Amino acid sequence: MNKFLLAVHVLAAIVAVGPVTIAASMFPPSARKALAEPGDAQALSTVRVLHRICQVYATVGVAVPVFGFATAKNMGVLGDTWLIVSIALTALAAAVLAALVLPRQTALMEGMEGTEESIEEGGQGAAYAGASRVGPRDTARLAMFTGLFNLLWATVTILMIVRPGSTTGA
């Protein structure tokens, strides 16, 4: 049973966290491009798709800690320090994603979509006014929070592999 739970836990991490990490990392430069070219429908479409990937796979990512807890319980390592630290870092990564990354992606998208609507209505001046609501500073801040999210997940991954102080063998 341990091998099954561990396999599902690892697969869920790869399938769910991997796409969020990549899409979230691609979002800020894609948003900068869309902001620099307010009339570029493909740039805006790319930003929408990346945001949707982040939302969907963040939800799917709930399976990672669920199967992680089940695996740890079966292995009898719930009280191990490396696991407690991993759990805390996972919770922090989830909080960063939910409170800092996804809402900022949404705000950037809403700002860009307002710009797109202004262009479709033929108001070129209004397009630039919409673009001034969100800008490069917002994408830089988002990139910083995304980097923090990615760093937390990388740390958790290392802890899961190295398992410092583990007595279950590595």
Side-chain angles (χ1 to χ4, degrees):
M1 186 60 139
N2 284 350
K3 289 181 182 183
F4 171 76
L5 290 172
L6 183 59
V8 174
H9 171 64
V10 170
L11 285 172
I14 292 168
V15 169
V17 179
V20 172
T21 302
I22 300 299
S25 296
M26 291 174 65
F27 188 95
S30 297
R32 276 191 289 279
K33 182 177 187 241
L35 286 169
E37 302 168 14
D40 188 350
Q42 182 159 355
L44 184 58
S45 178
T46 299
V47 171
R48 284 183 186 135
V49 167
L50 291 171
H51 181 58
R52 185 72 178 146
I53 289 169
C54 289
Q55 288 178 318
V56 169
Y57 283 95
T59 304
V60 173
V62 171
V64 177
V66 168
F67 283 99
F69 273 112
T71 303
K73 183 178 181 221
N74 275 359
M75 291 176 68
V77 295
L78 276 174
D80 286 9
T81 304
W82 65 271
L83 186 64
I84 294 168
V85 171
S86 293
I87 291 168
L89 293 175
T90 298
L92 184 57
V96 167
L97 182 65
L100 300 173
V101 175
L102 293 176
R104 281 176 168 75
Q105 285 182 352
T106 301
L108 278 163
M109 275 189 21
E110 287 172 355
M112 286 183 271
E113 286 171 347
T115 301
E116 184 70 18
E117 290 167 9
S118 298
I119 289 171
E120 288 172 2
E121 293 167 3
Q124 196 66 1
Y128 291 108
S132 68
R133 289 185 301 218
V134 293
R137 287 187 77 160
D138 298 306
T139 62
R141 199 169 292 121
L142 175 59
M144 176 187 68
F145 291 129
T146 301
L148 176 61
F149 169 75
N150 293 342
L151 181 62
L152 288 166
W153 273 117
T155 305
V156 169
T157 302
I158 291 167
L159 284 171
M160 291 288 154
I161 294 168
V162 175
R163 301 183 309 167
S166 174
T167 58
T168 60

